[in-house]
Amino acid sequence: MTYEFTIIVPIYNEEGNIPRLEKELSNYIKIAIRKTKVLFVNDGSKDHSQSLLEEICAKNTHFSFLLFDKNYGLTPAIKAGFDATTTELVGYIDADLQTSPLDFNLLLEHIPKYDLVTGVRQNRKDSTFKKLSSTLANIVRRAFTKDGVEDTGCPLKVIKTSYAQRIPMFRGLHRFLPAMILLQNGKIKQVPVQHFPRIAGKTKFGFWNRSIGPLADCFAYLWMKRKYIDYSISKRSFDI
């Protein structure tokens, strides 16, 4: 089968969510508007996540996995997924399923005209503190990047792979994906998506990486922006 879209799912100690992931993603693949496969990236889980992932991948050709030798973090997991992707389109979703794979179809409808389509979570089912820290982080990030994105932390995105693989990733850059597409003169689109409460597992983010951490990342982004190299080839004399 020739696939068109790869969904990256970073995994870190999510054994309680993995059976639901298999069910929800399998259901989505049946109705996806692009031929879809799933790539789990196990970020050095210490629970039984890996054995569950191997069982899923052994019985379903639409699923595959990468296993890190230790815990590196969310951004390295996303980058590893981007690097391994061979399809025209790549997206990702968090393993907690607070967003629905079904909403990928809403994003994919816009991808022919845009280079990144990101979800905007509606009626968020999070704690007041979590929503407040996320709102603050978005305000600060927009002040630095001028990308105009309302909810850059939404874990539901679709990107043209050619753009995703040109992003010079650093830790925390998953918050800046729209801004990095704009640096490549790409076009971005925001689409409202559903949001659900976390049912199993524990959040991997606390006060530091929801508020103070993103502020530090903004300065790293500004440094990288000044050093960023982008170019396009208009003509060549040979085939690669």
Coordinates of all heavy atoms in Angstrom, one line a residue, residues 146-230:
K146 N 5.2 36.5 16.6 CA 4.3 37.2 15.7 C 3.6 36.2 14.7 O 3.2 36.6 13.6 CB 5.0 38.3 14.9 CG 5.9 39.2 15.6 CD 5.2 40.0 16.7 CE 6.1 41.0 17.4 NZ 5.5 41.7 18.5
D147 N 3.4 35.0 15.2 CA 2.8 34.0 14.2 C 1.3 34.0 14.2 O 0.6 33.4 13.4 CB 3.3 32.6 14.6 CG 3.0 32.1 16.0 OD1 2.1 32.7 16.6 OD2 3.5 31.1 16.4
G148 N 0.7 34.7 15.2 CA -0.8 34.8 15.3 C -1.5 33.5 15.6 O -2.8 33.5 15.5
V149 N -0.8 32.5 16.1 CA -1.5 31.2 16.4 C -2.0 31.3 17.8 O -1.4 31.6 18.8 CB -0.5 30.1 16.3 CG1 -1.1 28.7 16.7 CG2 0.0 30.0 14.8
E150 N -3.3 30.9 17.9 CA -4.0 31.0 19.2 C -3.6 29.9 20.2 O -3.6 30.1 21.4 CB -5.5 30.9 19.0 CG -6.1 32.0 18.1 CD -7.6 31.7 17.9 OE1 -8.3 31.2 18.8 OE2 -8.1 32.0 16.7
D151 N -3.3 28.7 19.7 CA -3.2 27.5 20.5 C -2.0 26.6 20.0 O -2.3 25.5 19.5 CB -4.5 26.7 20.6 CG -4.4 25.6 21.6 OD1 -3.5 25.5 22.4 OD2 -5.3 24.7 21.5
T152 N -0.8 27.1 20.1 CA 0.3 26.4 19.5 C 0.5 25.1 20.2 O 1.1 24.2 19.7 CB 1.6 27.2 19.5 OG1 2.6 26.6 18.7 CG2 2.1 27.4 20.9
G153 N 0.1 25.0 21.5 CA 0.2 23.7 22.2 C -0.7 22.6 21.9 O -0.7 21.5 22.4
C154 N -1.7 22.9 21.0 CA -2.6 21.9 20.6 C -1.9 20.7 20.0 O -1.2 20.8 18.9 CB -3.6 22.4 19.6 SG -4.8 21.2 19.0
P155 N -2.1 19.5 20.5 CA -1.3 18.3 20.0 C -2.0 17.7 18.8 O -2.2 16.4 18.8 CB -1.3 17.4 21.2 CG -2.6 17.7 21.9 CD -2.8 19.2 21.7
L156 N -2.4 18.4 17.9 CA -3.1 17.9 16.7 C -2.7 18.8 15.5 O -3.2 19.9 15.4 CB -4.6 17.9 16.8 CG -5.3 16.9 15.9 CD1 -5.1 15.5 16.3 CD2 -6.8 17.2 15.8
K157 N -1.7 18.3 14.7 CA -1.2 19.1 13.6 C -1.0 18.2 12.4 O -0.7 17.1 12.5 CB 0.1 19.8 14.0 CG 0.0 20.9 15.0 CD 1.3 21.5 15.4 CE 1.2 22.7 16.3 NZ 0.5 22.5 17.6
V158 N -1.1 18.8 11.2 CA -0.7 18.2 9.9 C 0.3 19.1 9.2 O 0.0 20.3 9.1 CB -1.9 17.9 9.0 CG1 -1.5 17.3 7.7 CG2 -2.9 17.0 9.7
I159 N 1.4 18.6 8.7 CA 2.4 19.4 8.1 C 2.9 18.7 6.8 O 2.9 17.4 6.8 CB 3.6 19.6 9.0 CG1 3.2 20.0 10.4 CG2 4.6 20.6 8.4 CD1 4.4 20.0 11.4
K160 N 3.2 19.4 5.8 CA 3.8 18.9 4.6 C 5.2 18.4 5.0 O 6.0 19.2 5.6 CB 3.8 19.9 3.5 CG 2.5 20.1 2.9 CD 2.5 21.1 1.8 CE 1.1 21.3 1.2 NZ 1.0 22.4 0.2
T161 N 5.5 17.2 4.8 CA 6.8 16.6 5.3 C 8.0 17.3 4.8 O 9.0 17.5 5.5 CB 6.9 15.1 4.9 OG1 5.7 14.4 5.4 CG2 8.1 14.4 5.4
S162 N 8.0 17.9 3.6 CA 9.1 18.6 3.1 C 9.4 19.8 4.0 O 10.6 20.2 4.1 CB 8.9 19.1 1.6 OG 7.7 19.9 1.6
Y163 N 8.4 20.4 4.5 CA 8.6 21.5 5.5 C 9.1 21.0 6.8 O 10.0 21.6 7.5 CB 7.3 22.4 5.6 CG 7.1 23.3 4.5 CD1 6.5 22.8 3.3 CD2 7.4 24.7 4.5 CE1 6.3 23.7 2.2 CE2 7.2 25.5 3.5 CZ 6.6 25.0 2.3 OH 6.4 25.9 1.3
A164 N 8.4 20.0 7.3 CA 8.7 19.5 8.7 C 10.2 19.0 8.8 O 10.8 19.3 9.8 CB 7.8 18.3 9.0
Q165 N 10.7 18.4 7.7 CA 12.0 17.9 7.8 C 13.1 19.0 7.6 O 14.3 18.7 7.8 CB 12.2 16.8 6.8 CG 11.4 15.5 7.1 CD 11.5 14.4 6.1 OE1 11.9 14.6 4.9 NE2 11.2 13.2 6.5
R166 N 12.7 20.2 7.3 CA 13.7 21.3 7.2 C 13.7 22.1 8.5 O 14.5 23.1 8.6 CB 13.3 22.2 6.0 CG 13.6 21.6 4.6 CD 13.7 22.7 3.6 NE 12.6 23.5 3.5 CZ 11.5 23.3 2.6 NH1 11.6 22.2 1.8 NH2 10.5 24.1 2.6
I167 N 12.9 21.8 9.5 CA 12.9 22.5 10.7 C 14.1 22.2 11.5 O 14.4 21.0 11.8 CB 11.6 22.2 11.5 CG1 10.4 22.7 10.7 CG2 11.7 22.9 12.9 CD1 9.1 22.4 11.4
P168 N 15.0 23.1 11.9 CA 16.1 22.8 12.8 C 15.7 22.7 14.2 O 15.6 23.7 15.0 CB 17.0 24.1 12.6 CG 16.1 25.2 12.3 CD 14.9 24.5 11.5
M169 N 15.4 21.5 14.6 CA 14.7 21.3 15.9 C 15.7 21.5 17.1 O 16.9 21.2 17.0 CB 14.2 19.8 16.0 CG 13.1 19.5 14.9 SD 11.5 20.3 15.2 CE 10.8 19.1 16.3
F170 N 15.2 22.1 18.2 CA 15.8 22.2 19.4 C 14.8 21.9 20.5 O 13.6 21.9 20.3 CB 16.5 23.5 19.7 CG 15.6 24.7 19.7 CD1 14.8 25.0 20.8 CD2 15.5 25.5 18.5 CE1 14.0 26.1 20.8 CE2 14.6 26.6 18.5 CZ 13.9 26.9 19.6
R171 N 15.2 21.6 21.7 CA 14.3 21.2 22.8 C 13.3 22.3 23.0 O 13.7 23.5 23.2 CB 15.1 20.9 24.1 CG 15.9 19.6 24.0 CD 16.5 19.3 25.3 NE 17.4 18.1 25.2 CZ 17.0 16.9 25.2 NH1 15.7 16.6 25.3 NH2 17.8 15.9 25.0
G172 N 12.0 22.0 23.0 CA 11.0 23.0 23.2 C 10.4 23.5 21.9 O 9.4 24.3 21.9
L173 N 11.0 23.1 20.8 CA 10.6 23.7 19.5 C 9.2 23.2 19.1 O 8.6 23.8 18.2 CB 11.6 23.4 18.4 CG 11.4 24.3 17.2 CD1 11.7 25.7 17.5 CD2 12.3 23.8 16.0
H174 N 8.7 22.2 19.7 CA 7.3 21.7 19.3 C 6.3 22.9 19.6 O 5.3 22.9 18.9 CB 6.9 20.5 20.1 CG 6.9 20.7 21.6 ND1 8.0 20.6 22.4 CD2 5.8 20.9 22.4 CE1 7.6 20.8 23.6 NE2 6.3 21.0 23.7
R175 N 6.7 23.8 20.4 CA 5.8 25.0 20.6 C 5.9 26.0 19.5 O 5.0 26.9 19.5 CB 6.1 25.7 22.0 CG 6.1 24.8 23.2 CD 6.4 25.6 24.4 NE 6.4 24.7 25.6 CZ 7.5 24.2 26.1 NH1 8.7 24.4 25.6 NH2 7.4 23.4 27.2
F176 N 6.9 25.9 18.6 CA 7.1 26.9 17.6 C 7.0 26.4 16.2 O 7.5 27.0 15.3 CB 8.5 27.5 17.8 CG 8.8 28.1 19.2 CD1 9.1 27.4 20.3 CD2 8.6 29.5 19.3 CE1 9.3 28.0 21.5 CE2 8.8 30.1 20.5 CZ 9.1 29.4 21.6
L177 N 6.3 25.3 16.0 CA 6.2 24.7 14.7 C 5.6 25.6 13.7 O 6.1 25.8 12.6 CB 5.5 23.4 14.7 CG 6.2 22.2 15.4 CD1 5.4 20.9 15.5 CD2 7.6 21.9 14.8
P178 N 4.4 26.3 14.0 CA 3.9 27.3 13.1 C 4.9 28.4 12.7 O 5.0 28.7 11.5 CB 2.6 27.8 13.8 CG 2.2 26.7 14.7 CD 3.5 26.1 15.2
A179 N 5.5 28.9 13.7 CA 6.5 30.0 13.5 C 7.6 29.5 12.5 O 8.1 30.2 11.7 CB 7.1 30.5 14.8
M180 N 8.1 28.2 12.7 CA 9.1 27.7 11.9 C 8.7 27.5 10.4 O 9.5 27.6 9.5 CB 9.6 26.4 12.5 CG 10.3 26.5 13.8 SD 11.6 27.7 13.8 CE 12.7 27.1 12.6
I181 N 7.4 27.2 10.2 CA 6.9 27.1 8.9 C 6.8 28.4 8.2 O 7.2 28.6 7.0 CB 5.5 26.4 8.9 CG1 5.5 25.0 9.5 CG2 4.9 26.4 7.5 CD1 6.5 24.0 8.8
L182 N 6.4 29.5 9.0 CA 6.4 30.8 8.5 C 7.8 31.3 8.1 O 8.0 32.0 7.1 CB 5.8 31.8 9.5 CG 4.3 31.6 9.8 CD1 3.9 32.5 10.9 CD2 3.5 31.9 8.5
L183 N 8.8 30.8 8.8 CA 10.2 31.2 8.5 C 10.6 30.6 7.1 O 11.5 31.2 6.4 CB 11.2 30.7 9.5 CG 11.4 31.6 10.8 CD1 12.5 30.9 11.7 CD2 11.8 33.0 10.4
Q184 N 10.0 29.5 6.7 CA 10.2 28.9 5.4 C 9.3 29.5 4.3 O 9.2 29.0 3.2 CB 10.0 27.4 5.5 CG 10.9 26.7 6.4 CD 10.7 25.2 6.5 OE1 10.5 24.6 5.4 NE2 10.6 24.6 7.7
N185 N 8.6 30.6 4.7 CA 7.6 31.2 3.8 C 6.4 30.3 3.5 O 5.8 30.4 2.4 CB 8.3 31.7 2.5 CG 9.3 32.8 2.7 OD1 9.1 33.7 3.4 ND2 10.5 32.6 2.1
G186 N 6.2 29.4 4.4 CA 5.0 28.5 4.3 C 3.7 29.2 4.8 O 3.8 30.3 5.4
K187 N 2.6 28.6 4.5 CA 1.3 29.1 4.9 C 0.7 28.2 6.0 O 0.8 27.0 5.9 CB 0.4 29.2 3.7 CG 0.8 30.1 2.6 CD -0.2 30.1 1.5 CE 0.3 31.0 0.3 NZ -0.7 30.9 -0.8
I188 N 0.1 28.8 7.0 CA -0.5 28.1 8.1 C -2.0 28.4 8.2 O -2.5 29.4 7.8 CB 0.2 28.4 9.4 CG1 0.1 29.8 9.8 CG2 1.7 28.0 9.3 CD1 0.7 30.1 11.2
K189 N -2.7 27.4 8.8 CA -4.1 27.5 9.0 C -4.5 26.9 10.3 O -3.9 25.9 10.8 CB -4.9 26.7 7.9 CG -6.4 26.6 8.0 CD -7.1 27.8 7.6 CE -8.6 27.6 7.6 NZ -9.3 28.9 7.3
Q190 N -5.4 27.6 11.0 CA -5.9 27.1 12.3 C -7.4 26.6 12.2 O -8.2 27.3 11.5 CB -5.9 28.3 13.3 CG -4.5 28.9 13.5 CD -4.5 30.0 14.5 OE1 -4.7 29.8 15.7 NE2 -4.3 31.2 14.0
V191 N -7.7 25.5 12.8 CA -9.0 24.9 12.6 C -9.5 24.4 14.0 O -8.7 23.8 14.8 CB -8.9 23.6 11.7 CG1 -10.2 22.9 11.7 CG2 -8.4 24.0 10.3
P192 N -10.7 24.8 14.4 CA -11.2 24.3 15.7 C -11.3 22.8 15.8 O -11.8 22.2 14.8 CB -12.6 25.0 15.8 CG -12.5 26.1 14.8 CD -11.6 25.7 13.7
V193 N -10.9 22.2 16.9 CA -11.0 20.8 17.1 C -11.6 20.5 18.5 O -11.6 21.4 19.4 CB -9.7 20.1 17.0 CG1 -9.1 20.3 15.6 CG2 -8.7 20.6 18.0
Q194 N -12.0 19.3 18.7 CA -12.6 18.9 20.0 C -11.5 18.7 21.1 O -10.3 18.5 20.7 CB -13.3 17.5 19.8 CG -14.4 17.5 18.8 CD -14.9 16.1 18.5 OE1 -15.8 15.6 19.2 NE2 -14.3 15.4 17.6
H195 N -11.9 18.7 22.3 CA -11.0 18.5 23.4 C -11.7 17.6 24.5 O -12.9 17.8 24.7 CB -10.5 19.8 24.0 CG -9.3 19.6 24.9 ND1 -9.3 19.8 26.3 CD2 -8.0 19.2 24.6 CE1 -8.2 19.5 26.8 NE2 -7.3 19.2 25.8
F196 N -10.9 16.7 25.1 CA -11.5 15.8 26.0 C -10.6 15.7 27.3 O -9.4 16.0 27.2 CB -11.6 14.4 25.4 CG -12.4 14.3 24.1 CD1 -11.7 14.5 22.9 CD2 -13.7 14.2 24.1 CE1 -12.4 14.5 21.7 CE2 -14.4 14.2 22.9 CZ -13.8 14.3 21.7
P197 N -11.2 15.3 28.4 CA -10.4 15.1 29.6 C -9.4 13.9 29.5 O -9.7 13.0 28.8 CB -11.4 14.9 30.7 CG -12.6 14.3 30.0 CD -12.6 15.0 28.7
R198 N -8.3 14.0 30.2 CA -7.4 12.8 30.2 C -8.1 11.7 31.1 O -8.5 12.0 32.2 CB -6.0 13.2 30.8 CG -5.1 12.0 31.0 CD -3.8 12.5 31.7 NE -2.8 12.8 30.7 CZ -1.9 12.0 30.2 NH1 -2.0 10.7 30.5 NH2 -1.0 12.4 29.3
I199 N -8.1 10.5 30.5 CA -8.7 9.4 31.2 C -7.7 8.5 32.0 O -8.0 8.0 33.1 CB -9.5 8.5 30.2 CG1 -10.7 9.3 29.6 CG2 -10.0 7.2 30.8 CD1 -11.5 8.6 28.6
A200 N -6.5 8.3 31.4 CA -5.5 7.5 32.0 C -4.2 8.1 31.9 O -4.0 9.0 31.1 CB -5.5 6.1 31.3
G201 N -3.2 7.6 32.7 CA -1.9 8.2 32.7 C -1.8 9.5 33.4 O -2.8 10.1 33.8
K202 N -0.6 10.0 33.4 CA -0.3 11.3 34.1 C 0.3 12.3 33.1 O 1.1 11.9 32.3 CB 0.6 11.1 35.3 CG 0.0 10.3 36.4 CD 1.0 10.1 37.6 CE 0.4 9.3 38.7 NZ 1.4 9.2 39.8
T203 N -0.1 13.6 33.3 CA 0.5 14.6 32.4 C 2.0 14.7 32.7 O 2.5 14.5 33.8 CB -0.1 16.0 32.7 OG1 0.5 16.9 31.8 CG2 0.1 16.4 34.1
K204 N 2.8 15.0 31.6 CA 4.2 15.0 31.7 C 4.7 16.5 31.9 O 5.9 16.7 31.9 CB 4.9 14.4 30.5 CG 4.3 13.0 30.1 CD 4.4 12.0 31.2 CE 4.0 10.7 30.8 NZ 2.6 10.5 30.4
F205 N 3.8 17.4 32.1 CA 4.1 18.8 32.1 C 3.7 19.5 33.4 O 2.5 19.2 33.8 CB 3.5 19.6 30.9 CG 4.1 19.1 29.6 CD1 3.4 18.2 28.9 CD2 5.2 19.7 29.1 CE1 3.9 17.7 27.7 CE2 5.7 19.3 27.9 CZ 5.1 18.3 27.2
G206 N 4.5 20.2 34.0 CA 4.2 21.0 35.3 C 4.4 22.5 35.1 O 4.4 23.0 33.9
F207 N 4.5 23.2 36.2 CA 4.6 24.6 36.1 C 5.8 25.1 35.3 O 5.7 26.0 34.4 CB 4.8 25.2 37.5 CG 5.0 26.7 37.6 CD1 4.0 27.6 37.3 CD2 6.3 27.2 37.8 CE1 4.2 28.9 37.3 CE2 6.5 28.6 37.8 CZ 5.4 29.4 37.6
W208 N 7.0 24.5 35.4 CA 8.2 24.9 34.7 C 8.0 24.8 33.2 O 8.2 25.8 32.5 CB 9.4 24.1 35.2 CG 10.6 24.3 34.2 CD1 11.0 23.5 33.2 CD2 11.5 25.4 34.2 NE1 12.1 24.0 32.6 CE2 12.4 25.2 33.2 CE3 11.6 26.6 35.0 CZ2 13.4 26.1 32.9 CZ3 12.6 27.5 34.7 CH2 13.5 27.3 33.7
N209 N 7.6 23.6 32.7 CA 7.5 23.5 31.3 C 6.2 23.9 30.7 O 6.0 23.8 29.5 CB 7.9 22.0 30.9 CG 7.1 21.0 31.7 OD1 6.1 21.3 32.2 ND2 7.7 19.8 31.7
R210 N 5.4 24.5 31.5 CA 4.2 25.2 30.9 C 4.3 26.7 30.9 O 3.6 27.4 30.1 CB 2.9 24.8 31.7 CG 2.5 23.4 31.4 CD 1.1 23.2 32.0 NE 0.7 21.8 31.9 CZ 0.2 21.2 30.8 NH1 0.1 21.9 29.7 NH2 -0.1 19.9 30.8
S211 N 5.1 27.3 31.7 CA 5.2 28.7 31.8 C 6.6 29.2 31.7 O 7.0 29.9 30.7 CB 4.6 29.2 33.1 OG 5.1 28.5 34.2
I212 N 7.5 29.0 32.7 CA 8.8 29.5 32.7 C 9.7 28.9 31.5 O 10.4 29.6 30.8 CB 9.5 29.3 34.0 CG1 8.7 29.9 35.1 CG2 10.9 29.8 34.0 CD1 9.2 29.7 36.5
G213 N 9.5 27.6 31.3 CA 10.2 26.9 30.2 C 10.0 27.5 28.9 O 10.9 27.9 28.1
P214 N 8.7 27.7 28.5 CA 8.4 28.3 27.2 C 9.0 29.7 27.0 O 9.4 30.1 25.9 CB 6.9 28.4 27.2 CG 6.5 27.2 28.0 CD 7.5 27.2 29.1
L215 N 9.1 30.5 28.1 CA 9.7 31.8 28.0 C 11.2 31.7 27.7 O 11.7 32.5 26.8 CB 9.6 32.6 29.4 CG 10.2 34.0 29.4 CD1 9.6 34.9 28.4 CD2 10.1 34.5 30.8
A216 N 11.9 30.8 28.3 CA 13.3 30.6 27.9 C 13.4 30.1 26.5 O 14.3 30.5 25.8 CB 13.9 29.5 28.9
D217 N 12.5 29.3 26.0 CA 12.5 28.8 24.7 C 12.3 29.9 23.7 O 12.8 29.9 22.5 CB 11.4 27.7 24.4 CG 11.7 26.4 25.2 OD1 12.9 26.2 25.6 OD2 10.8 25.7 25.4
C218 N 11.6 30.9 24.1 CA 11.3 32.1 23.2 C 12.7 32.8 22.8 O 12.9 33.2 21.7 CB 10.4 33.1 23.8 SG 8.7 32.6 23.8
F219 N 13.5 32.9 23.8 CA 14.8 33.5 23.5 C 15.7 32.6 22.6 O 16.4 33.1 21.7 CB 15.6 33.8 24.8 CG 15.0 34.9 25.6 CD1 14.2 34.7 26.7 CD2 15.2 36.3 25.2 CE1 13.6 35.7 27.4 CE2 14.6 37.3 25.9 CZ 13.8 37.0 27.0
A220 N 15.6 31.3 22.8 CA 16.3 30.4 21.9 C 15.8 30.5 20.5 O 16.5 30.4 19.5 CB 16.1 29.0 22.4
Y221 N 14.4 30.7 20.4 CA 13.8 30.8 19.1 C 14.3 32.1 18.4 O 14.7 32.1 17.2 CB 12.3 30.9 19.2 CG 11.6 31.4 17.9 CD1 11.4 30.6 16.8 CD2 11.2 32.7 17.8 CE1 10.9 31.0 15.7 CE2 10.6 33.2 16.6 CZ 10.4 32.3 15.6 OH 9.9 32.8 14.4
L222 N 14.4 33.2 19.1 CA 14.9 34.4 18.5 C 16.3 34.3 18.0 O 16.7 34.8 16.9 CB 14.8 35.6 19.5 CG 13.4 36.1 19.8 CD1 13.4 37.2 20.8 CD2 12.6 36.5 18.6
W223 N 17.2 33.6 18.8 CA 18.6 33.4 18.4 C 18.6 32.6 17.1 O 19.3 32.9 16.2 CB 19.3 32.7 19.5 CG 20.8 32.4 19.1 CD1 21.8 33.2 19.3 CD2 21.2 31.2 18.5 NE1 23.0 32.5 18.8 CE2 22.6 31.3 18.3 CE3 20.6 30.0 18.0 CZ2 23.4 30.3 17.7 CZ3 21.4 29.0 17.4 CH2 22.7 29.2 17.3
M224 N 17.8 31.5 17.1 CA 17.8 30.6 15.9 C 17.2 31.3 14.7 O 17.7 31.2 13.6 CB 16.9 29.4 16.3 CG 16.9 28.3 15.2 SD 15.8 28.7 13.8 CE 14.3 29.0 14.7
K225 N 16.2 32.2 14.9 CA 15.7 32.9 13.8 C 16.7 33.8 13.1 O 16.8 33.9 11.9 CB 14.5 33.8 14.3 CG 13.8 34.6 13.2 CD 12.6 35.4 13.8 CE 12.0 36.2 12.7 NZ 10.8 37.0 13.2
R226 N 17.6 34.4 13.9 CA 18.6 35.3 13.3 C 19.6 34.5 12.6 O 20.2 35.0 11.6 CB 19.3 36.1 14.5 CG 18.5 37.2 15.1 CD 19.3 38.1 15.9 NE 19.9 37.4 17.0 CZ 19.4 37.4 18.2 NH1 18.2 37.9 18.5 NH2 20.0 36.8 19.2
K227 N 19.8 33.2 13.0 CA 20.8 32.4 12.3 C 20.2 31.5 11.2 O 21.0 30.8 10.5 CB 21.5 31.5 13.4 CG 22.2 32.3 14.5 CD 23.4 33.1 14.0 CE 24.1 33.7 15.2 NZ 25.2 34.5 14.8
Y228 N 18.9 31.5 11.1 CA 18.2 30.5 10.2 C 18.6 30.7 8.7 O 18.7 31.9 8.2 CB 16.7 30.7 10.4 CG 15.9 29.6 9.6 CD1 15.9 28.3 9.9 CD2 15.2 30.0 8.5 CE1 15.2 27.4 9.2 CE2 14.4 29.1 7.7 CZ 14.5 27.8 8.1 OH 13.8 26.8 7.4
I229 N 18.9 29.6 8.1 CA 19.2 29.6 6.6 C 18.1 29.0 5.9 O 17.6 27.9 6.2 CB 20.5 28.8 6.4 CG1 21.7 29.5 7.1 CG2 20.7 28.7 4.9 CD1 23.0 28.7 7.0
D230 N 17.6 29.7 4.9 CA 16.5 29.2 4.0 C 16.8 29.6 2.6 O 17.4 30.6 2.3 CB 15.1 29.8 4.4 CG 14.0 29.1 3.7 OD1 14.1 27.8 3.4 OD2 13.0 29.7 3.4

